[in-house]
Amino acid sequence: VSARIQAPRGTFDVLPDQAALRAALEERARAVLEGAGYARVETPAFEATELFARGVGESTDIVSKEMYSFDDGGGRSVTLRPEGTAPVCRAYLEHGMHKLPQPVKLWYLSSFHRRERAQAGRYRQFWQIGAEAIGSEDPAIDAELIVLLVGLLDDVGSKGLRLRLSSLGTPAARAGYRDELQAYLRANADRLSEDVRSRIDLNPLRAYDSDHAGTREVMEGAPRLLDRLADDDLDHFAEVRALLDAAGVAYDVDPTLVRGLDYYTRTVFEFDSSALGAQSGVGGGGRYDGLIEELGGPPTPGMGWAAGVERILLSGAQDSLPPAPGVVELYLALDAGARRQDAFATLVDARRAGLHAQMEQGGRSLKGQLKHADRVGARQVAIFGEGGILLKDLETGDQETVEVDAVVPRALRARSPRL
Ligand code: ATP
Ligand code: MG
């Protein structure tokens, strides 16, 4: 016997119970986001590798080590999308959305791929709900997007949430700060982790993300980007905070917050949940005022976030979202001598009439069928037999012999008020 094939490492099957939860989460996301004017978009599952190299940044973890890239067979390198913002911005440009009234507000729920070390809450294929508002630098966009994610997470029952907020300023302020930080890191290089030391040139900001004790100590005394922002960036950040205050959203300003993507400018934020283990990030995002230009478009501000579907579910939504009711209103049972064609035609009629109907297909005895009908919570059972059809109401216990044409109308009349 050959070995059984299993799902690839870091992937999982979505079985019916989980699928129902995910559908409920998607429904909530749609209600929250479309209620705020965000329209659904879908982009391809793979893109030109260049899009992520330029849009996410060569120095990021995603681009430097997590992408699934391959030759498309025609000598072009394509990559399974590791994130959604660069593709949405590409679509914005490709479809001339800058001619629409700005900002253009979009949302998605899609699967993403990253070559990660698989562990609880960290997969190689995962799903994100994301929202982007492109074409405005109004701080009210930043605040609105954050409030929407708070609203969604609260609505679905995520627990132990903490919002951290910061500002990265403009690329110019960041460049000056970067030099300063690099000099500081070099001066303290002997106390840094190997990994951080090797990235001083490429991505010094990532030093803030390190768990390494020596590095953390060094970073305590490091210069802070928040103290180096230009006046208009400080004003923008102050306004975002004032709007969040006005909306009653609690947050911590965290000057060490560094997002893993190069394209962020100004506002960045992240939600963690204490209900999650080591992988505590539920979602995050920020402003990316330079990204569209990086992709070859006109200077265009943008802001967005993405939240992991699996992490949202693990953070408590799993227990709070209502299970989808699997209702059977009419069960067609087959006794000895039953005309199967009559039963099948009735099944089809019942479904056309909008009833949730099932027919015996498991080779059960009549007793087994009635037990099964009970197990699936059927309201009505129609027993097709040699002598005719017996229609039973399992809720009231009423039963009567009926003609085949009467089964569907009767079942409709008795239809469960739940539906
Ligand atoms: P992390 O610090 O956990 O690696 P990240 O900064 O790479 O997160 P983002 O790129 O900001 O994450 O993606 C937004 C959200 O998507 C994360 O907060 C998380 O909920 C989810 N996410 C990211 N990578 C994975 C993954 N490999 N498996 C499951 N969910 C993920
Ligand atoms: Mg990551």
Side-chain angles (χ1 to χ4, degrees), residues 66 114 116 122:
E66 295 175 358
R114 296 182 193 176
E116 306 237 42
R122 187 177 292 291

Side-chain angles (χ1 to χ4, degrees), residues 182-193 197 200 214 218 221-222:
Q182 279 168 336
Y184 175 82
L185 291 174
R186 278 194 205 99
N188 292 279
D190 53 331
R191 292 155 67 204
L192 299 175
S193 77
R197 208 180 314 137
I200 292 179
V218 172

